[in-house]
Structures are given as C-alpha cells and as structure tokens.
Amino acid sequence: MNPNKALWEKGDFTRIAETMRESGEALVQRLGITEGLKVLDLGCGDGTTALPAAKLGAQVLGVDIARNLVEAGNKRAAEQGLTNCTFQEGDASNLQQFGDRAFDLVVSIFGAIFAPKPFEVAKEMVRVTRPGGRIVMGNWIPNDPTLVAQILKISSSYTPPPPEGFVSPMTWGIESNVIERFAGAGVAAEKISFARDTFTFNFPGPPSALVDEFRKYYGPTMNAFEAAEKNGRDAELQKELEELFNTQNKSPSKDATSIPATFLRVTVAL
Ligand SMILES: C[S@@+](CC[C@H](N)C(=O)[O-])C[C@H]1O[C@@H](n2cnc3c(N)ncnc32)[C@H](O)[C@@H]1O
C-alpha cells in the first residue's frame, strides 16, 4: 500500500476538518469564485474548501488520495444538495486522468503539500490549469510558532527519522522552494505571489479534548503516539501537546478551543 495513502486513510480526518470549516469558507470567499468557474481542489479532504466553492456557483472537482475522505466528501455534497461538486480518488503528483488546461482554478489547501515528489506536483498543477487561470495553495510554514508547525516539531521528537529521500510537506512553506518547484514547471517567479494568512481551528470543547481528537483521528498524530507508546513516552507527548494547545487557545471560554495558525498562501497566475 502507498504509505502516503495509508497515512491519510488511517483514522478519520473528517473529525479534524470539522474544526476548520469556518476558515475554509472564509478563504474561499476571498478567491474570486464566479458562476461556472471550473475548479480542481487537490487534496480536498471531505470538502472544507470544495463545498463552499460549489456554493458560490463553481463547477468543483475534489481529488484526494484517501478513499474514505472522497466518500465523505461525496456524502456531504449530496446532503447539501450540491450537484456541481463531486469527489474522486487521485494523486496530486500524477493527474493523468485530466487533460491539459482543464481547469480555471486549482486550489490546494494543506493538500498537495503532502504528496511525495513536489516537482511533479508543481508540474501537474500547472499542466491542468488553463493559461490565464490560477493556482492557489495553502502551505504550512516550517518552524512557525503557531499550532501546526509546533505539533510537527513536538511529534518529530517522538518518532523515528523519516526514510532517506523523504521531502517534508513543510518545505512547501518556504518561498524559495515554491519558486524553484514552479520554475521546474516553466513558471517565472514574477507570476508567483505570497501572503501570510490564518486558519483557525475551532472546537466545542477544551484544548485537551482537541488533543484527544488529533490522537484518535489524525493520521500523523496517531503515528507519533504509536511511536511514543513503544518507548513508554506517550504520556509525555500528550502533556507537551496539551501545553501547546492550552497556550495557543484564544477562546475566552475554558470549555471551547479556538486556535489560529499561520500559513503561506501561494498564488500562481498563469
Ligand atoms: C490536512 S488534509 C487537508 C484537507 C483539505 N484540503 C482541508 O483543508 O480540510 C490533507 C489532505 O491531503 C490529502 N493527500 C495527501 N497526499 C495526497 C496526494 N498525494 N494526492 C492527493 N491528496 C493527498 C489527504 O488525504 C488529506 O485529505
């Protein structure tokens, strides 16, 4: 089994996605979506950005490597009566099922960054976008002081080093890497713009309960806990993550969690 696929089919990412809906919707509102725009959402999960784009009238195709998330996305679209939003399985590093220039807008919010072979990912995103179209990526930033980079930093000290040749998804959060990867796809640096943006994780329970959600349902955190358990260090990992989530929580209520996380928004105008 492809380890990238196995990682995301593990657990149930929909539980984490539930905490990201407001920010997903707000981000899509800023993308200039118009009626009939052909949108590809890569690494779409269960549709945090795909569904709001369809609600704005776009023709949306969500592609994700995880079968369970594709099923969850199609179910959510059907429940919301969206006939202009469908989900299918696919790999961001090989979009051979799509012709050249097939989409007006390719969106990938914390999605394609997880595919191995980042140069292939950039090439494929460029190939399937029409001239005059756009690519918008949301990429977590390595060593950023906010939530996601810090979860990764803490988790990595409990897990064995990644296999030789592994390219961290976080490298997509470094502007020079983004420029280099799109240059490999023939895109000039002037066509790429960068902005810092924020996604807020909102959860109707205390921070420790949100840590539990990550521990039970988020593949990368599940793996970190499995590795920590082997060394009898799982309580230590739980404590470090609870401290992190508590420190970063901005909710005025002790029984709710609201944690903003900074990301790099990349726009490529083709
Ligand atoms: C952190 S989630 C983000 C999901 C969604 N974009 C959102 O904002 O909720 C990462 C997603 O990328 C998907 N993914 C990982 N590797 C992929 C690949 N090679 N091709 C397509 N999707 C991939 C995962 O299955 C997962 O749904």
Side-chain angles (χ1 to χ4, degrees):
M1 158 79 108
N2 171 349
N4 178 222
K5 182 173 168 71
L7 174 70
W8 291 98
E9 288 184 351
K10 190 169 180 151
D12 181 4
F13 180 74
T14 66
R15 299 288 292 239
I16 307 303
E18 281 296 331
T19 71
M20 302 165 78
R21 302 290 190 223
E22 288 97 339
S23 288
E25 200 154 337
L27 175 62
V28 169
Q29 292 286 345
R30 302 195 291 275
L31 293 183
I33 304 264
T34 47
E35 188 79 28
L37 199 77
K38 290 179 85 180
V39 176
L40 172 65
D41 191 332
L42 263 187
C44 55
D46 65 351
T48 292
T49 46
L51 266 63
K55 283 183 195 151
L56 291 174
Q59 287 294 330
V60 184
L61 181 60
V63 166
D64 199 282
I65 201 157
R67 187 185 38 79
N68 53 333
L69 299 177
V70 166
E71 277 170 14
N74 278 323
K75 186 161 171 268
R76 291 182 71 229
E79 280 165 1
Q80 298 187 29
L82 292 167
T83 51
N84 54 335
C85 187
T86 53
F87 294 77
Q88 68 184 53
E89 272 182 60
D91 186 334
S93 53
N94 180 358
L95 299 172
Q96 63 184 5
Q97 66 273 43
F98 306 120
D100 298 354
R101 308 169 171 198
F103 298 95
D104 301 306
L105 173 64
V106 174
V107 179
S108 190
I109 306 305
F110 325 127
I113 60 170
F114 291 101
K117 304 190 196 149
F119 281 89
E120 295 302 310
V121 171
K123 258 189 217 142
E124 284 294 75
M125 288 196 294
V126 170
R127 182 183 66 76
V128 302
T129 308
R130 71 162 172 82
R134 278 173 301 151
I135 299 168
V136 176
M137 297 182 82
N139 302 347
W140 297 120
I141 303 167
N143 302 317
D144 187 80
T146 60
L147 189 75
V148 180
Q150 292 303 312
I151 294 177
L152 189 89
K153 190 174 166 203
I154 291 170
S155 301
S156 64
S157 64
Y158 291 82
T159 43
E164 179 102 10
F166 174 79
V167 182
S168 165
M170 303 297 277
T171 55
W172 274 108
I174 300 168
E175 295 182 15
S176 57
N177 286 338
V178 175
I179 290 170
E180 190 189 13
R181 289 165 188 179
F182 281 109
V187 177
E190 304 80 69
K191 304 220 161 183
I192 308 173
S193 56
F194 298 100
R196 302 270 149 161
D197 207 334
T198 304
F199 235 74
T200 300
F201 293 79
N202 289 321
F203 180 70
S208 60
L210 181 55
V211 172
D212 288 341
E213 291 283 296
F214 274 78
R215 182 174 182 162
K216 281 193 214 141
Y217 301 113
Y218 183 63
T221 308
M222 293 167 76
N223 283 350
F225 271 101
E226 278 168 25
E229 274 160 24
K230 282 190 190 137
N231 301 311
R233 296 179 67 208
D234 48 311
E236 207 183 314
L237 174 55
Q238 176 85 23
K239 185 164 168 275
E240 271 206 74
L241 289 176
E242 282 185 16
E243 270 167 19
L244 171 71
F245 281 53
N246 275 317
T247 316
Q248 304 240 341
N249 186 19
K250 297 278 187 285
S251 169
S253 158
K254 273 197 303 203
D255 299 321
T257 307
S258 181
I259 304 182
T262 306
F263 68 97
L264 181 68
R265 181 154 47 86
V266 177
T267 306
V268 183
L270 291 177

mmCIF file of all heavy atoms in Angstrom, residues 3-43:
data_model
loop_
_atom_site.group_PDB
_atom_site.id
_atom_site.type_symbol
_atom_site.label_atom_id
_atom_site.label_comp_id
_atom_site.label_asym_id
_atom_site.label_seq_id
_atom_site.Cartn_x
_atom_site.Cartn_y
_atom_site.Cartn_z
ATOM 1 N N PRO A 3 2.343 4.424 1.168
ATOM 2 C CA PRO A 3 2.345 4.931 2.554
ATOM 3 C C PRO A 3 1.663 6.289 2.701
ATOM 4 O O PRO A 3 1.069 6.598 3.743
ATOM 5 C CB PRO A 3 3.834 5.030 2.912
ATOM 6 C CG PRO A 3 4.605 4.800 1.663
ATOM 7 C CD PRO A 3 3.692 4.227 0.623
ATOM 8 N N ASN A 4 1.707 7.098 1.639
ATOM 9 C CA ASN A 4 1.059 8.410 1.644
ATOM 10 C C ASN A 4 -0.465 8.227 1.750
ATOM 11 O O ASN A 4 -1.146 8.897 2.552
ATOM 12 C CB ASN A 4 1.473 9.111 0.334
ATOM 13 C CG ASN A 4 0.868 10.469 0.113
ATOM 14 O OD1 ASN A 4 0.450 10.791 -0.980
ATOM 15 N ND2 ASN A 4 0.820 11.280 1.134
ATOM 16 N N LYS A 5 -0.987 7.260 1.008
ATOM 17 C CA LYS A 5 -2.432 6.954 1.036
ATOM 18 C C LYS A 5 -2.806 6.336 2.400
ATOM 19 O O LYS A 5 -3.790 6.732 3.037
ATOM 20 C CB LYS A 5 -2.734 5.977 -0.107
ATOM 21 C CG LYS A 5 -4.181 5.573 -0.276
ATOM 22 C CD LYS A 5 -4.301 4.733 -1.569
ATOM 23 C CE LYS A 5 -5.642 4.038 -1.703
ATOM 24 N NZ LYS A 5 -6.741 4.960 -1.992
ATOM 25 N N ALA A 6 -1.956 5.419 2.854
ATOM 26 C CA ALA A 6 -2.238 4.735 4.125
ATOM 27 C C ALA A 6 -2.301 5.732 5.278
ATOM 28 O O ALA A 6 -3.166 5.632 6.162
ATOM 29 C CB ALA A 6 -1.157 3.689 4.398
ATOM 30 N N LEU A 7 -1.400 6.724 5.243
ATOM 31 C CA LEU A 7 -1.360 7.724 6.321
ATOM 32 C C LEU A 7 -2.690 8.469 6.438
ATOM 33 O O LEU A 7 -3.195 8.721 7.528
ATOM 34 C CB LEU A 7 -0.226 8.723 6.052
ATOM 35 C CG LEU A 7 -0.139 9.911 7.010
ATOM 36 C CD1 LEU A 7 0.315 9.452 8.400
ATOM 37 C CD2 LEU A 7 0.843 10.964 6.483
ATOM 38 N N TRP A 8 -3.274 8.815 5.272
ATOM 39 C CA TRP A 8 -4.474 9.644 5.300
ATOM 40 C C TRP A 8 -5.759 8.837 5.410
ATOM 41 O O TRP A 8 -6.808 9.380 5.787
ATOM 42 C CB TRP A 8 -4.478 10.605 4.100
ATOM 43 C CG TRP A 8 -3.393 11.618 4.310
ATOM 44 C CD1 TRP A 8 -2.142 11.592 3.767
ATOM 45 C CD2 TRP A 8 -3.417 12.734 5.207
ATOM 46 N NE1 TRP A 8 -1.389 12.633 4.260
ATOM 47 C CE2 TRP A 8 -2.147 13.353 5.139
ATOM 48 C CE3 TRP A 8 -4.390 13.276 6.061
ATOM 49 C CZ2 TRP A 8 -1.833 14.486 5.895
ATOM 50 C CZ3 TRP A 8 -4.070 14.410 6.812
ATOM 51 C CH2 TRP A 8 -2.808 14.994 6.717
ATOM 52 N N GLU A 9 -5.671 7.540 5.078
ATOM 53 C CA GLU A 9 -6.857 6.688 5.274
ATOM 54 C C GLU A 9 -6.922 6.188 6.712
ATOM 55 O O GLU A 9 -7.944 5.655 7.145
ATOM 56 C CB GLU A 9 -6.851 5.518 4.274
ATOM 57 C CG GLU A 9 -7.165 6.005 2.862
ATOM 58 C CD GLU A 9 -7.268 4.900 1.827
ATOM 59 O OE1 GLU A 9 -6.932 3.750 2.140
ATOM 60 O OE2 GLU A 9 -7.669 5.213 0.689
ATOM 61 N N LYS A 10 -5.818 6.360 7.418
ATOM 62 C CA LYS A 10 -5.773 5.978 8.827
ATOM 63 C C LYS A 10 -6.651 6.966 9.601
ATOM 64 O O LYS A 10 -6.722 8.131 9.262
ATOM 65 C CB LYS A 10 -4.312 6.098 9.276
ATOM 66 C CG LYS A 10 -4.007 5.541 10.614
ATOM 67 C CD LYS A 10 -2.494 5.504 10.790
ATOM 68 C CE LYS A 10 -2.187 4.929 12.159
ATOM 69 N NZ LYS A 10 -0.908 4.242 12.185
ATOM 70 N N GLY A 11 -7.283 6.504 10.647
ATOM 71 C CA GLY A 11 -8.063 7.449 11.448
ATOM 72 C C GLY A 11 -9.232 8.012 10.662
ATOM 73 O O GLY A 11 -9.789 7.356 9.792
ATOM 74 N N ASP A 12 -9.558 9.243 10.967
ATOM 75 C CA ASP A 12 -10.714 9.862 10.308
ATOM 76 C C ASP A 12 -10.481 11.372 10.286
ATOM 77 O O ASP A 12 -10.849 12.079 11.235
ATOM 78 C CB ASP A 12 -11.986 9.510 11.077
ATOM 79 C CG ASP A 12 -13.223 10.113 10.433
ATOM 80 O OD1 ASP A 12 -13.097 10.740 9.363
ATOM 81 O OD2 ASP A 12 -14.318 9.955 11.005
ATOM 82 N N PHE A 13 -9.880 11.852 9.182
ATOM 83 C CA PHE A 13 -9.540 13.277 9.115
ATOM 84 C C PHE A 13 -10.783 14.172 9.174
ATOM 85 O O PHE A 13 -10.685 15.354 9.538
ATOM 86 C CB PHE A 13 -8.691 13.586 7.863
ATOM 87 C CG PHE A 13 -8.332 15.039 7.774
ATOM 88 C CD1 PHE A 13 -7.373 15.583 8.615
ATOM 89 C CD2 PHE A 13 -8.997 15.883 6.895
ATOM 90 C CE1 PHE A 13 -7.076 16.942 8.584
ATOM 91 C CE2 PHE A 13 -8.705 17.238 6.852
ATOM 92 C CZ PHE A 13 -7.739 17.767 7.695
ATOM 93 N N THR A 14 -11.967 13.603 8.859
ATOM 94 C CA THR A 14 -13.182 14.448 8.896
ATOM 95 C C THR A 14 -13.366 15.072 10.292
ATOM 96 O O THR A 14 -13.921 16.156 10.417
ATOM 97 C CB THR A 14 -14.463 13.671 8.528
ATOM 98 O OG1 THR A 14 -14.718 12.692 9.526
ATOM 99 C CG2 THR A 14 -14.346 12.978 7.181
ATOM 100 N N ARG A 15 -12.863 14.378 11.330
ATOM 101 C CA ARG A 15 -13.023 14.896 12.696
ATOM 102 C C ARG A 15 -12.214 16.186 12.894
ATOM 103 O O ARG A 15 -12.610 17.071 13.652
ATOM 104 C CB ARG A 15 -12.554 13.846 13.722
ATOM 105 C CG ARG A 15 -13.329 12.551 13.671
ATOM 106 C CD ARG A 15 -14.720 12.744 14.217
ATOM 107 N NE ARG A 15 -14.728 13.009 15.636
ATOM 108 C CZ ARG A 15 -15.349 12.268 16.546
ATOM 109 N NH1 ARG A 15 -16.004 11.190 16.177
ATOM 110 N NH2 ARG A 15 -15.335 12.589 17.819
ATOM 111 N N ILE A 16 -11.063 16.251 12.252
ATOM 112 C CA ILE A 16 -10.235 17.463 12.356
ATOM 113 C C ILE A 16 -10.805 18.529 11.419
ATOM 114 O O ILE A 16 -10.880 19.718 11.768
ATOM 115 C CB ILE A 16 -8.763 17.142 11.986
ATOM 116 C CG1 ILE A 16 -8.236 15.954 12.804
ATOM 117 C CG2 ILE A 16 -7.873 18.382 12.159
ATOM 118 C CD1 ILE A 16 -8.299 16.107 14.307
ATOM 119 N N ALA A 17 -11.226 18.074 10.228
ATOM 120 C CA ALA A 17 -11.777 19.012 9.238
ATOM 121 C C ALA A 17 -12.967 19.787 9.809
ATOM 122 O O ALA A 17 -13.155 20.967 9.494
ATOM 123 C CB ALA A 17 -12.189 18.249 7.975
ATOM 124 N N GLU A 18 -13.744 19.131 10.689
ATOM 125 C CA GLU A 18 -14.885 19.804 11.329
ATOM 126 C C GLU A 18 -14.466 21.096 12.029
ATOM 127 O O GLU A 18 -15.239 22.033 12.151
ATOM 128 C CB GLU A 18 -15.532 18.881 12.378
ATOM 129 C CG GLU A 18 -16.441 17.811 11.805
ATOM 130 C CD GLU A 18 -17.663 18.394 11.110
ATOM 131 O OE1 GLU A 18 -18.117 19.479 11.496
ATOM 132 O OE2 GLU A 18 -18.153 17.740 10.168
ATOM 133 N N THR A 19 -13.227 21.119 12.517
ATOM 134 C CA THR A 19 -12.755 22.297 13.269
ATOM 135 C C THR A 19 -12.252 23.403 12.335
ATOM 136 O O THR A 19 -11.884 24.481 12.788
ATOM 137 C CB THR A 19 -11.607 21.921 14.247
ATOM 138 O OG1 THR A 19 -10.420 21.632 13.499
ATOM 139 C CG2 THR A 19 -11.954 20.721 15.101
ATOM 140 N N MET A 20 -12.208 23.093 11.027
ATOM 141 C CA MET A 20 -11.590 24.023 10.064
ATOM 142 C C MET A 20 -12.601 24.644 9.106
ATOM 143 O O MET A 20 -12.222 25.370 8.182
ATOM 144 C CB MET A 20 -10.514 23.272 9.255
ATOM 145 C CG MET A 20 -9.428 22.654 10.126
ATOM 146 S SD MET A 20 -8.419 21.428 9.248
ATOM 147 C CE MET A 20 -7.341 22.476 8.290
ATOM 148 N N ARG A 21 -13.897 24.351 9.313
ATOM 149 C CA ARG A 21 -14.901 24.758 8.319
ATOM 150 C C ARG A 21 -15.013 26.278 8.141
ATOM 151 O O ARG A 21 -15.083 26.760 7.018
ATOM 152 C CB ARG A 21 -16.295 24.220 8.705
ATOM 153 C CG ARG A 21 -16.386 22.709 8.851
ATOM 154 C CD ARG A 21 -16.283 21.958 7.550
ATOM 155 N NE ARG A 21 -16.613 20.560 7.775
ATOM 156 C CZ ARG A 21 -15.936 19.535 7.252
ATOM 157 N NH1 ARG A 21 -14.903 19.724 6.457
ATOM 158 N NH2 ARG A 21 -16.306 18.296 7.507
ATOM 159 N N GLU A 22 -15.030 27.020 9.256
ATOM 160 C CA GLU A 22 -15.232 28.481 9.138
ATOM 161 C C GLU A 22 -14.103 29.105 8.322
ATOM 162 O O GLU A 22 -14.345 29.929 7.437
ATOM 163 C CB GLU A 22 -15.282 29.174 10.512
ATOM 164 C CG GLU A 22 -16.541 28.917 11.309
ATOM 165 C CD GLU A 22 -16.355 27.794 12.318
ATOM 166 O OE1 GLU A 22 -15.431 26.974 12.137
ATOM 167 O OE2 GLU A 22 -17.152 27.735 13.281
ATOM 168 N N SER A 23 -12.861 28.696 8.621
ATOM 169 C CA SER A 23 -11.727 29.290 7.902
ATOM 170 C C SER A 23 -11.719 28.857 6.440
ATOM 171 O O SER A 23 -11.337 29.640 5.563
ATOM 172 C CB SER A 23 -10.402 28.910 8.563
ATOM 173 O OG SER A 23 -10.277 29.592 9.782
ATOM 174 N N GLY A 24 -12.135 27.606 6.183
ATOM 175 C CA GLY A 24 -12.191 27.130 4.800
ATOM 176 C C GLY A 24 -13.158 27.981 3.986
ATOM 177 O O GLY A 24 -12.854 28.428 2.875
ATOM 178 N N GLU A 25 -14.304 28.239 4.593
ATOM 179 C CA GLU A 25 -15.326 29.034 3.915
ATOM 180 C C GLU A 25 -14.835 30.470 3.692
ATOM 181 O O GLU A 25 -14.989 31.033 2.602
ATOM 182 C CB GLU A 25 -16.594 29.034 4.774
ATOM 183 C CG GLU A 25 -17.790 29.386 3.992
ATOM 184 C CD GLU A 25 -19.066 28.788 4.598
ATOM 185 O OE1 GLU A 25 -18.999 27.784 5.344
ATOM 186 O OE2 GLU A 25 -20.120 29.351 4.325
ATOM 187 N N ALA A 26 -14.210 31.029 4.732
ATOM 188 C CA ALA A 26 -13.726 32.420 4.630
ATOM 189 C C ALA A 26 -12.646 32.537 3.559
ATOM 190 O O ALA A 26 -12.613 33.511 2.796
ATOM 191 C CB ALA A 26 -13.177 32.871 5.990
ATOM 192 N N LEU A 27 -11.783 31.543 3.467
ATOM 193 C CA LEU A 27 -10.721 31.576 2.449
ATOM 194 C C LEU A 27 -11.329 31.538 1.050
ATOM 195 O O LEU A 27 -10.952 32.326 0.167
ATOM 196 C CB LEU A 27 -9.775 30.379 2.657
ATOM 197 C CG LEU A 27 -8.679 30.198 1.601
ATOM 198 C CD1 LEU A 27 -7.740 31.400 1.582
ATOM 199 C CD2 LEU A 27 -7.872 28.934 1.865
ATOM 200 N N VAL A 28 -12.300 30.660 0.864
ATOM 201 C CA VAL A 28 -12.924 30.532 -0.464
ATOM 202 C C VAL A 28 -13.620 31.836 -0.871
ATOM 203 O O VAL A 28 -13.570 32.234 -2.036
ATOM 204 C CB VAL A 28 -13.911 29.329 -0.463
ATOM 205 C CG1 VAL A 28 -14.775 29.328 -1.706
ATOM 206 C CG2 VAL A 28 -13.126 28.026 -0.358
ATOM 207 N N GLN A 29 -14.183 32.535 0.117
ATOM 208 C CA GLN A 29 -14.834 33.827 -0.178
ATOM 209 C C GLN A 29 -13.846 34.829 -0.780
ATOM 210 O O GLN A 29 -14.224 35.733 -1.495
ATOM 211 C CB GLN A 29 -15.415 34.448 1.107
ATOM 212 C CG GLN A 29 -16.586 33.688 1.712
ATOM 213 C CD GLN A 29 -17.877 33.850 0.923
ATOM 214 O OE1 GLN A 29 -17.988 34.732 0.080
ATOM 215 N NE2 GLN A 29 -18.859 32.992 1.190
ATOM 216 N N ARG A 30 -12.556 34.650 -0.471
ATOM 217 C CA ARG A 30 -11.536 35.594 -0.942
ATOM 218 C C ARG A 30 -10.908 35.165 -2.273
ATOM 219 O O ARG A 30 -9.973 35.804 -2.734
ATOM 220 C CB ARG A 30 -10.413 35.733 0.109
ATOM 221 C CG ARG A 30 -10.879 36.184 1.477
ATOM 222 C CD ARG A 30 -9.714 36.661 2.348
ATOM 223 N NE ARG A 30 -8.806 35.607 2.765
ATOM 224 C CZ ARG A 30 -8.981 34.834 3.829
ATOM 225 N NH1 ARG A 30 -10.060 34.966 4.584
ATOM 226 N NH2 ARG A 30 -8.089 33.914 4.156
ATOM 227 N N LEU A 31 -11.409 34.086 -2.869
ATOM 228 C CA LEU A 31 -10.747 33.570 -4.075
ATOM 229 C C LEU A 31 -11.332 34.077 -5.388
ATOM 230 O O LEU A 31 -10.880 33.681 -6.451
ATOM 231 C CB LEU A 31 -10.794 32.022 -4.078
ATOM 232 C CG LEU A 31 -9.971 31.318 -2.997
ATOM 233 C CD1 LEU A 31 -10.057 29.796 -3.162
ATOM 234 C CD2 LEU A 31 -8.511 31.758 -3.047
ATOM 235 N N GLY A 32 -12.331 34.924 -5.305
ATOM 236 C CA GLY A 32 -12.916 35.466 -6.533
ATOM 237 C C GLY A 32 -13.600 34.393 -7.375
ATOM 238 O O GLY A 32 -13.460 34.367 -8.604
ATOM 239 N N ILE A 33 -14.320 33.511 -6.714
ATOM 240 C CA ILE A 33 -15.033 32.431 -7.432
ATOM 241 C C ILE A 33 -16.240 33.027 -8.156
ATOM 242 O O ILE A 33 -16.994 33.807 -7.568
ATOM 243 C CB ILE A 33 -15.533 31.364 -6.435
ATOM 244 C CG1 ILE A 33 -14.387 30.818 -5.604
ATOM 245 C CG2 ILE A 33 -16.357 30.277 -7.140
ATOM 246 C CD1 ILE A 33 -13.744 29.575 -6.022
ATOM 247 N N THR A 34 -16.399 32.642 -9.407
ATOM 248 C CA THR A 34 -17.565 33.116 -10.162
ATOM 249 C C THR A 34 -18.355 31.918 -10.675
ATOM 250 O O THR A 34 -17.832 30.799 -10.728
ATOM 251 C CB THR A 34 -17.104 33.967 -11.373
ATOM 252 O OG1 THR A 34 -16.048 33.270 -12.036
ATOM 253 C CG2 THR A 34 -16.603 35.339 -10.941
ATOM 254 N N GLU A 35 -19.610 32.188 -11.036
ATOM 255 C CA GLU A 35 -20.519 31.149 -11.531
ATOM 256 C C GLU A 35 -19.858 30.360 -12.683
ATOM 257 O O GLU A 35 -19.296 30.963 -13.607
ATOM 258 C CB GLU A 35 -21.770 31.887 -12.058
ATOM 259 C CG GLU A 35 -22.931 31.028 -12.447
ATOM 260 C CD GLU A 35 -23.739 30.550 -11.238
ATOM 261 O OE1 GLU A 35 -23.757 31.258 -10.215
ATOM 262 O OE2 GLU A 35 -24.339 29.464 -11.355
ATOM 263 N N GLY A 36 -19.852 29.045 -12.569
ATOM 264 C CA GLY A 36 -19.368 28.205 -13.670
ATOM 265 C C GLY A 36 -17.856 28.033 -13.741
ATOM 266 O O GLY A 36 -17.357 27.306 -14.605
ATOM 267 N N LEU A 37 -17.114 28.699 -12.837
ATOM 268 C CA LEU A 37 -15.653 28.546 -12.844
ATOM 269 C C LEU A 37 -15.309 27.063 -12.635
ATOM 270 O O LEU A 37 -15.891 26.400 -11.764
ATOM 271 C CB LEU A 37 -15.050 29.375 -11.694
ATOM 272 C CG LEU A 37 -13.568 29.704 -11.789
ATOM 273 C CD1 LEU A 37 -13.333 30.836 -12.805
ATOM 274 C CD2 LEU A 37 -13.010 30.130 -10.428
ATOM 275 N N LYS A 38 -14.378 26.555 -13.431
ATOM 276 C CA LYS A 38 -14.002 25.137 -13.280
ATOM 277 C C LYS A 38 -12.868 25.024 -12.275
ATOM 278 O O LYS A 38 -11.751 25.508 -12.527
ATOM 279 C CB LYS A 38 -13.585 24.552 -14.632
ATOM 280 C CG LYS A 38 -14.790 24.409 -15.566
ATOM 281 C CD LYS A 38 -14.394 23.849 -16.906
ATOM 282 C CE LYS A 38 -14.355 22.323 -16.852
ATOM 283 N NZ LYS A 38 -13.959 21.756 -18.159
ATOM 284 N N VAL A 39 -13.190 24.432 -11.135
ATOM 285 C CA VAL A 39 -12.238 24.390 -10.018
ATOM 286 C C VAL A 39 -11.816 22.954 -9.722
ATOM 287 O O VAL A 39 -12.665 22.060 -9.593
ATOM 288 C CB VAL A 39 -12.878 25.001 -8.743
ATOM 289 C CG1 VAL A 39 -11.942 24.871 -7.548
ATOM 290 C CG2 VAL A 39 -13.242 26.470 -8.958
ATOM 291 N N LEU A 40 -10.511 22.745 -9.597
ATOM 292 C CA LEU A 40 -9.987 21.467 -9.101
ATOM 293 C C LEU A 40 -9.462 21.718 -7.693
ATOM 294 O O LEU A 40 -8.617 22.602 -7.499
ATOM 295 C CB LEU A 40 -8.844 20.982 -10.000
ATOM 296 C CG LEU A 40 -8.067 19.753 -9.488
ATOM 297 C CD1 LEU A 40 -8.962 18.510 -9.450
ATOM 298 C CD2 LEU A 40 -6.834 19.484 -10.356
ATOM 299 N N ASP A 41 -9.988 20.983 -6.713
ATOM 300 C CA ASP A 41 -9.491 21.085 -5.335
ATOM 301 C C ASP A 41 -8.657 19.834 -5.061
ATOM 302 O O ASP A 41 -9.184 18.730 -4.971
ATOM 303 C CB ASP A 41 -10.675 21.204 -4.361
ATOM 304 C CG ASP A 41 -10.219 21.575 -2.953
ATOM 305 O OD1 ASP A 41 -9.082 21.240 -2.585
ATOM 306 O OD2 ASP A 41 -11.021 22.188 -2.221
ATOM 307 N N LEU A 42 -7.363 20.023 -4.947
ATOM 308 C CA LEU A 42 -6.423 18.893 -4.827
ATOM 309 C C LEU A 42 -6.097 18.611 -3.366
ATOM 310 O O LEU A 42 -5.710 19.523 -2.640
ATOM 311 C CB LEU A 42 -5.109 19.262 -5.505
ATOM 312 C CG LEU A 42 -4.847 18.812 -6.923
ATOM 313 C CD1 LEU A 42 -3.404 19.163 -7.298
ATOM 314 C CD2 LEU A 42 -5.092 17.320 -7.082
ATOM 315 N N GLY A 43 -6.231 17.367 -2.967
ATOM 316 C CA GLY A 43 -6.029 17.043 -1.555
ATOM 317 C C GLY A 43 -7.156 17.695 -0.774
ATOM 318 O O GLY A 43 -6.959 18.352 0.240
#
